[in-house]
Each structure stands twice: as C-alpha cells, then as structure tokens.
C-alpha cells in the first residue's frame, strides 16, 4: 500500500438511494501524472470531494502514502498533503495575487510564528514575513505571475486566474495535487503552456498529479495512465492510448 502515493479501496458514496460513486479503486504511484476522465456526471468531481474531505465515503476508504485519511477533516487532509483546485475558480478575488498565495503558505511549519512575536512585532515576526513573501514570489515566478503580484486577483484574465489557483494549491506543499479541469476555458497556447508547467511542477517539486479534464488531447499529451468513469463506476483503467481507443469508452463519450 505504501508503494502508492494514493490508493483508494472500493471507494463509494450514495446520496439517498443514488450511488454517485461506486467501488472505485485507484493506485497512483509517486510522481505519476494520472488522469480521471469520463462524460459529464460520471462522478469525477465527487471523487475529488471524497479525497479532500468535503464528502465522507459511504463505502470503502483511501490512503495517502499508506496512511488512511477517511473521516479526516478538509484541513487535516490538506495538512497531510492533498491540495486541489476547483472546476469553478475559487480565489480570494478582493485580495492581491501574492496574498492569495500567502494564504496557502500559512499551513507550513517553517512559516509558523508564535502569537507573542506577532503581537509585539518582534524580529522573528518580520523574518517569517519576509521569507513567506520570498517563497510566494518564487511560486508566482513559475506561473509567470510575479509581475502581477500586487494586482487584485479579480482583475486577472481568466487564464491567469486558473494559474493563480494552481499556484495557491502548490503553496500548501502537497504530495498529491488534484487539478479539476485546469485547461477549461484556455486557448491552445495557454493549454500548451499549462502542460509544460504541470510537468515542471511534477519534476521540480516531486509532486504526484491527479487531474480531471475533458480536453482529451491535453490528457493524452500529459498523463501516463487514466481511469475512465461512467455513471460513477470504473469503465476502463490503464494506458491513455489504450483507454481512448477502447470501444466502450468511445461509446460512453459519443453515445450508442
């Protein structure tokens, strides 16, 4: 089990009598770029909500580096090392770009400052503040957002807002990064740049990435393996090329 960064065992959830996700088994290795695909309503975002503590599984469980996280709070799961972005961008719109990233850094032990030092504005408080801003700027630089750092998040164009949300998630220092439709609304150039950025994040920060995406060209150009969902159950798992050529997967996407 500890051989995998993420492992789900018979993961499922029901709402009333409806099984939204049923018996999903994922095994994702360290540094893997893994795709979770399927038609609308297949249960992809529901799985992200289970993995981040938004929902509690009705059946099954899941592990991060061998540690069971079922039942833990959203905050506890984030501290353990799972971070996410959202299908609909969720930024602190009336805060600056850099402050959005600073929010993500606050859960890191290296940036903790005792209340006494902060209240009295002792040197340690300023030291932590400087180091946090330096780290935030370093992360923004990866996404070519450093020059935008003092602008309000709401004033960024759509593509840059997407990148800022990923930057904020990265600031929490995750072991597993969940990206929910990161290329949605991006033009082809932005999508290509995002692909390079995700690879860089994986290599530079030693992070495993699980992503949901409807752009199958993006998935096939980035991911090592995929799980295809349909009506909350696993339709196919394996290499991207095999999955995208599977007759049942094609049928699920384009209909009978």
């Amino acid at each position: 089990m500890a051989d995998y960064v993420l492992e789900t065992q018979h993961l499922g959830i029901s709402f009333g009598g409806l099984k939204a996700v049923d018996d999903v088994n994922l095994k994702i290795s360290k540094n893997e770029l893994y795709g979770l695909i399927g038609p609308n309503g297949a249960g992809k975002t529901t799985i992200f909500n289970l993995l981040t503590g938004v929902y509690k599984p009705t059946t099954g469980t899941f592990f991060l580096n061998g540690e069971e996280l079922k039942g833990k709070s959203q905050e506890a799961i984030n501290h353990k090392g799972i971070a996410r972005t959202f299908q609909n961008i969720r930024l602190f719109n009336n805060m600056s770009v850099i402050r959005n990233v600073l929010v993500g850094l606050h859960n890191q032990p290296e940036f903790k400052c005792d209340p006494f030092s902060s209240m009295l504005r002792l040197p340690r408080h300023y030291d932590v503040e400087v180091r946090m801003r330096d780290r935030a700027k370093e992360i923004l630089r990866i996404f070519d957002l450093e020059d935008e750092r003092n602008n309000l998040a709401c004033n960024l164009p759509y593509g840059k807002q997407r990148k800022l949300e990923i930057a904020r998630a990265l600031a929490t220092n995750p072991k597993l990064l969940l990206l929910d439709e990161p290329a949605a609304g991006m033009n082809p150039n932005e999508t290509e740049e995002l692909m390079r950025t995700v690879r860089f994040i994986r290599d530079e920060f030693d992070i495993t990435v699980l992503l949901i995406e409807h752009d199958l060209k993006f998935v096939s150009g980035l991911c090592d393996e995929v799980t295809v969902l349909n009506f909350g159950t696993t339709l196919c798992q394996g290499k991207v090329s095999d999955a995208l050529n599977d007759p049942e997967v094609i049928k699920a996407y384009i209909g009978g």
Side-chain angles (χ1 to χ4, degrees), residues 6-250:
L6 175 71
E7 181 172 0
T8 72
Q9 296 180 353
H10 310 294
L11 192 65
I13 186 170
S14 297
F15 299 104
L18 175 66
K19 289 183 178 180
V21 171
D22 184 33
D23 197 29
V24 171
N25 297 283
L26 301 173
K27 290 182 178 180
I28 302 177
S29 301
K30 186 176 175 60
N31 297 126
E32 196 168 3
L33 298 173
Y34 198 102
L36 191 60
I37 65 174
N40 287 330
K44 304 180 297 294
T45 296
T46 301
I47 288 177
F48 272 24
N49 287 334
L50 288 168
L51 296 177
T52 53
V54 177
Y55 299 150
K56 308 299 181 189
T58 307
T59 59
T61 188
F62 65 100
F63 302 83
L64 183 72
N65 289 322
E67 180 180 357
E68 187 172 20
L69 297 185
K70 177 185 175 181
K72 293 191 180 296
S73 68
Q74 294 180 59
E75 183 182 8
I77 289 174
N78 179 248
H79 276 283
K80 292 293 183 181
I82 299 180
R84 74 175 293 182
T85 64
F86 293 86
Q87 190 173 343
N88 300 311
I89 298 171
R90 297 185 189 179
L91 294 171
F92 298 106
N93 283 319
N94 294 317
M95 287 168 54
S96 67
V97 167
I98 195 167
R99 285 197 173 276
N100 269 269
V101 178
L102 288 170
V103 166
L105 290 172
H106 273 288
N107 79 336
Q108 298 305 302
E110 63 188 290
F111 298 123
K112 293 292 183 188
C113 188
D114 62 275
F116 183 76
S117 297
S118 298
M119 212 163 39
L120 298 181
R121 296 292 192 267
L122 297 180
R124 172 165 169 71
H125 167 81
Y126 290 107
D127 173 63
V128 169
E129 197 171 72
V130 168
R131 287 191 292 111
M132 283 183 74
R133 291 188 74 85
D134 286 346
R135 177 61 174 156
K137 285 189 281 188
E138 180 185 335
I139 293 170
L140 288 172
R141 205 172 298 130
I142 294 167
F143 296 89
D144 198 26
L145 291 172
E146 188 181 8
D147 291 344
E148 308 268 14
R149 65 184 180 276
N150 295 319
N151 296 336
L152 291 179
C154 60
N155 291 335
L156 291 178
Y158 181 85
K160 289 187 176 182
Q161 288 189 8
R162 278 270 172 211
K163 292 198 288 186
L164 177 57
E165 191 178 33
I166 299 172
R168 185 181 61 189
L170 187 61
T172 66
N173 195 29
K175 300 178 180 71
L176 175 67
L177 180 60
L178 310 180
L179 302 177
D180 196 343
E181 295 192 35
M186 289 187 170
N187 63 44
N189 288 336
E190 289 172 328
T191 301
E192 187 65 35
E193 181 188 351
L194 177 63
M195 206 179 292
R196 290 194 298 269
T197 302
V198 173
R199 285 197 196 98
F200 177 83
I201 289 170
R202 186 268 307 269
D203 296 338
E204 189 72 13
F205 292 89
D206 205 26
I207 288 174
T208 303
V209 179
L210 172 61
L211 65 91
I212 294 169
E213 188 51 68
H214 283 290
D215 184 340
L216 297 184
K217 185 179 177 183
F218 183 88
V219 173
S220 61
L222 186 65
C223 293
D224 306 306
E225 296 194 356
V226 293
T227 288
V228 186
L229 296 176
N230 196 27
F231 299 112
T233 62
T234 301
L235 185 61
C236 177
Q237 281 182 318
K239 297 293 182 184
V240 178
S241 57
D242 294 337
L244 296 186
N245 287 302
D246 187 297
E248 290 301 317
V249 173
I250 294 169

